């Protein structure tokens, strides 16, 4: 690791575990806590790079699994790498594809060597190993890259979760050894399902290998929210202070606030952009659905004091009309609003940490914000996972 | 008509009928010949008003039929009119809805009073009369509004086309009498199918009523291109020099060049934006399909010297990838490219008219540009009309 890709811890809240810092990357400084919008296929859905930047986003998440299958790693490498391909000059983090192989791809066979899977696009068979995962991510050229991990399902047996943890550790070591480029930071991924003992083992083992950053994987896969939060606490407690901590795949406003209070620095999630395309918009009071008839004649924007392009330019009634009419502009405008909401939230929570007021900020936010209730959340999750199954 | 909404003829080509002029509207000067992108539902599909403006577009076409059904004329009027509703401060032309009623809506009954139709959205029954068409368009507040006309199909009987012409004339007079606002220019629509004699009758009758502008309707509905062009010539010959001429529903690059040479000032068409969303991009050599594998590794943009945002920012390979991956950004980027192509074409042809070189400009453009062949064109048209039938 050269010093072009490091983490500086700036301040830790005296009352909670919340912390403010910055990631120094070859593509700019990323203030933390940070939220990464998902750009799985090399685009934050509906938006141009300029729009994403204009919202204040400093790093996006792209996906090795998706880009490997389409357009192909060699295509992107031949075009000068992922940044150039997608015309994005800020930081990029690539996931190794582990999670996608274990959640999207059918007919996988996993053994210690690696994992054989079929493409969810055309059914073709592929092998990925820890070494290949690194080779692909070096060719893509992201600023932060991830180890190949095995991500068990929430309802897998203890034996299966144990095997996944063991394999994830072996693969992490192999990824570390396979790494050639020194300008990319390789993060390890702590697994262990919802078992504190396994989480401890995983965190202890991986930190002994001295990675420049640690992710918490395998959460928010259907387990109750309280268990998720407990697992985060159990894991963070064993991670080094001076390394960034990345909570994979969680990014609702309430998740972010809860995660920050538990010492998380990096978040990613498709949720803010995905629910936007379904018409669910974040407000200080919680999510609202713009398709609701209540908005059909509302001259005001969704949030009167919101600084986003959508709220500065259009009435809620216009947005309602675009959604009702299935106009593609609807999905853009809603995405801009939700990402701006999250971007502002990150900035506000970071300011609060630096001002020593993060506890009260968290309290006030959660008091005002009506989170999606547990029942609805789990149903939506199931529906989402099922729709991905069907898309095979 | 007040002088806020007039037409100035600036120059006519000595060798062809091509002419340069300008429309003075309450929302700015519109240089002619001009192309109007379609914003049927109050949005140029996929684009923000800023993007449309940035492309150099000075007027868009919105549709009374669509906006009447959804969100409703009263909703838009209550929001301060269409310009404010869609955040577009340049000129707007609204079609009366005649064409849509006769092409989109099922179960219509037409008599001299007006036309009863069912919504293609929810099947509800509606009556529209010439007086209502004007009332709706005055409430929407476009700069240019259109009479209600009866648009026969290409294969309708002579008797049917004759009846449609007669009714279109009666309705034009009633629209003229119903008009209350003096800041909107009301254009008449010449009908008459592909029969020169009927076109002559229609043009003569309507010009005797002294409208501020004249449209040519009922063309490009499946007839051979040569007949379309002949009908344009026959009609334009009888229209007054000092009034703008609007060719409804035609806007491929080759159509525009042929229409300009025959004295047309205003064009509209969904084609440039619709084919963009299908991956068909305009180049100087003709349309290309970006989904073609030939583009999968092309580092250059679609057109190397194109000034549009898409070509300035992204490789053809990236655009190919977005289309292959069905990413919503694809449809935006292609729309920006095609509208920029048309916008530049309008500017170039206007410059050529003013420089007295429009004949050679036309010749050079058509020599280089491979138009969609007649067979493919008619098949695409049939497919498109059929898909609209199915969308009922």
């Amino acid at each position: 690791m050269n010093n072009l890709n490091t983490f500086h811890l700036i301040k830790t809240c005296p009352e909670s575990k919340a912390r403010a810092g910055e990631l120094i990357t070859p593509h700019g400084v990323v203030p933390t806590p940070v939220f990464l919008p998902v750009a799985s296929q090399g685009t934050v859905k509906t938006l141009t790079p300029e729009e994403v930047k204009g919202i204040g986003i400093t790093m996006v998440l792209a996906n090795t699994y998706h880009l490997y299958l389409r357009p192909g790693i060699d295509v992107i490498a031949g075009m000068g790498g992922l940044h150039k391909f997608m015309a994005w000059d800020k930081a990029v983090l690539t996931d190794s594809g582990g999670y996608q192989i274990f959640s999207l791809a059918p007919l996988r066979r996993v053994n210690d060597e690696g994992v054989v899977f079929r493409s969810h696009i055309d059914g073709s068979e592929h092998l990925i190993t820890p070494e290949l995962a690194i080779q692909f991510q070096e060719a893509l050229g992201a600023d932060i890259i991830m180890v190949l991990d095995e991500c068990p399902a929430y309802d897998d047996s203890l034996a299966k979760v144990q095997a996944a943890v063991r394999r994830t550790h072996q693969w992490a070591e192999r990824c570390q050894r396979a790494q050639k480029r020194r300008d990319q930071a390789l993060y390890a991924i702590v697994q262990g399902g919802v078992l504190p003992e396994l989480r401890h083992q995983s965190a202890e083992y991986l930190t002994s290998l001295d990675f420049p950053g640690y992710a918490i994987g395998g959460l928010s896969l259907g387990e109750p929210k309280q268990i998720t939060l407990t697992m985060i606490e159990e894991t963070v407690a064993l991670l080094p202070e001076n390394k960034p901590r990345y909570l994979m795949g969680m990014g609702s406003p309430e998740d972010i606030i809860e995660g920050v209070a538990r010492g998380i620095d990096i978040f990613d999630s498709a949720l803010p952009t995905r629910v936007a395309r379904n018409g669910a918009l974040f407000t200080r009071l919680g999510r609202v659905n713009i398709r609701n008839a209540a908005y059909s004649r509302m001259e005001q924007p969704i949030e009167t004091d919101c600084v986003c392009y959508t709220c500065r330019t259009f009435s809620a009634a216009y947005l309602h009309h675009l959604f009702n009419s299935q106009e593609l502009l609807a999905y853009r405008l809603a995405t801009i609003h939700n990402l701006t909401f999250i971007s502002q939230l990150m900035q506000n929570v970071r300011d609060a940490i630096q001002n020593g007021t993060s506890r009260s900020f968290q309290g006030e936010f959660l008091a005002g914000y009506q989170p999606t209730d547990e029942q609805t959340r789990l149903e939506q999750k199931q529906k989402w996972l099922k729709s991905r199954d069907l898309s095979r």
Side-chain angles (χ1 to χ4, degrees), chain A:
Chain A
M1 283 296 307
N2 67 22
N3 60 8
L4 265 178
N5 213 328
T6 53
F7 175 65
H8 293 152
L9 185 57
I10 295 173
K11 181 153 182 181
T12 302
C13 169
E15 296 177 317
S16 74
K17 297 195 158 46
R19 41 199 241 159
E22 55 188 21
L23 297 161
I24 316 294
T25 84
H27 291 89
V29 173
V30 176
T32 62
V34 64
F35 171 81
L36 281 50
V38 164
S40 300
Q41 306 195 111
T43 157
V44 175
K45 288 188 190 303
T46 79
L47 301 187
T48 62
E50 284 72 18
E51 283 168 330
V52 177
K53 222 183 290 182
I55 287 166
I57 301 298
T58 51
M59 177 154 50
V60 300
L61 170 79
N63 201 285
T64 306
Y65 170 82
H66 287 98
L67 297 173
Y68 162 79
L69 291 178
R70 193 171 52 194
I73 302 294
D74 59 325
V75 169
I76 297 176
M79 307 288 296
L82 185 55
H83 288 88
K84 197 171 164 218
F85 184 60
M86 61 189 282
W88 172 253
D89 59 7
K90 299 261 178 184
V92 175
L93 183 153
T94 42
D95 194 0
S96 63
Y99 174 73
Q100 281 68 31
I101 291 171
F102 289 96
S103 64
L104 271 182
L107 284 177
R108 55 182 182 269
R109 296 190 306 276
V110 58
N111 60 32
D112 286 350
E113 167 62 11
V115 51
V116 173
F117 62 94
R118 287 195 184 277
S119 159
H120 71 285
I121 300 167
D122 63 7
S124 56
E125 196 169 275
H126 303 268
L127 164 73
I128 195 164
T129 64
E131 290 75 17
L132 282 170
I134 294 302
Q135 185 186 314
F136 295 156
Q137 291 183 88
E138 293 195 334
L140 292 174
D143 302 272
I144 299 174
I145 64 178
M146 303 300 299
V147 299
L148 185 69
D149 60 333
E150 179 174 346
C151 185
Y154 167 54
D155 52 2
D156 274 349
S157 69
L158 173 63
K160 231 173 159 179
V161 179
Q162 282 174 321
V165 166
R166 186 185 53 79
R167 201 168 274 138
T168 294
H169 295 176
Q170 292 175 356
W171 289 359
E173 280 196 75
R174 282 166 58 189
C175 284
Q176 207 173 34
R177 281 198 301 272
Q179 193 183 11
K180 294 200 184 88
R181 282 179 67 160
R182 307 321 291 179
D183 58 341
Q184 298 178 299
L186 172 65
Y187 286 16
I189 304 175
V190 177
Q191 289 289 352
V194 293
L195 302 155
E197 187 48 36
L198 283 180
R199 288 272 162 195
H200 292 177
Q201 274 179 30
S202 190
E204 275 171 4
Y205 185 83
L206 293 170
T207 53
S208 76
L209 298 177
D210 195 25
F211 282 88
Y214 295 92
I216 305 177
L219 289 180
S220 198
L221 296 178
E223 76 279 7
K225 179 74 72 175
Q226 197 46 57
I227 292 187
T228 315
L229 297 178
T230 304
M231 287 306 110
I232 295 170
E233 289 164 17
E234 296 282 343
T235 310
V236 166
L238 295 166
L239 296 177
E241 278 291 310
N242 63 338
K243 300 287 176 72
R245 301 143 179 184
Y246 166 24
L247 178 58
M248 301 184 85
M250 289 182 65
S252 71
E254 64 268 30
D255 286 347
I256 288 171
I257 293 298
E258 299 283 11
V260 165
R262 287 163 178 80
I264 298 297
D265 305 300
I266 307 173
F267 299 84
D268 88 87
S269 172
L271 184 135
T273 45
R274 188 180 73 237
V275 301
R277 297 195 305 280
N278 286 328
L281 299 175
F282 297 144
T283 74
R284 260 194 304 272
L285 302 178
R287 278 197 222 172
V288 299
N289 195 320
I290 189 67
R291 294 177 201 265
N292 192 303
Y295 296 106
S296 65
R297 291 169 184 266
M298 189 187 281
E299 281 195 63
Q300 286 75 40
I302 282 293
E303 282 223 292
T304 38
D305 55 354
C306 175
V307 300
C308 86
Y309 168 74
T310 305
C311 288
R312 280 186 289 110
T313 313
F314 302 104
S315 60
Y318 184 70
L319 203 51
H320 173 85
H321 165 63
L322 293 183
F323 267 100
N324 257 7
S325 307
Q326 297 173 290
E327 281 286 354
L328 294 176
L329 182 59
Y331 314 127
R332 281 181 71 182
L333 296 182
T335 301
I336 288 172
H337 175 81
N338 274 8
L339 282 186
T340 304
F341 184 93
I342 297 283
S343 176
Q344 294 279 310
L345 182 66
M346 301 319 292
Q347 197 180 304
N348 292 342
V349 74
R350 190 171 190 270
D351 289 348
I353 296 166
Q354 294 199 287
N355 298 334
T357 55
S358 78
R359 227 349 159 210
S360 64
F361 178 85
Q362 179 195 349
E364 276 164 35
F365 180 84
L366 293 178
Y369 191 90
Q370 174 70 47
T372 311
D373 68 89
E374 184 80 2
Q375 183 63 28
T376 308
R377 196 178 67 79
L378 290 175
E379 280 169 16
Q380 286 176 347
K381 191 89 194 180
Q382 284 310 313
K383 199 172 146 196
W384 164 235
L385 293 171
K386 203 173 158 191
S387 76
R388 293 181 17 147
D389 280 344
L390 293 174
S391 77
R392 286 175 190 172

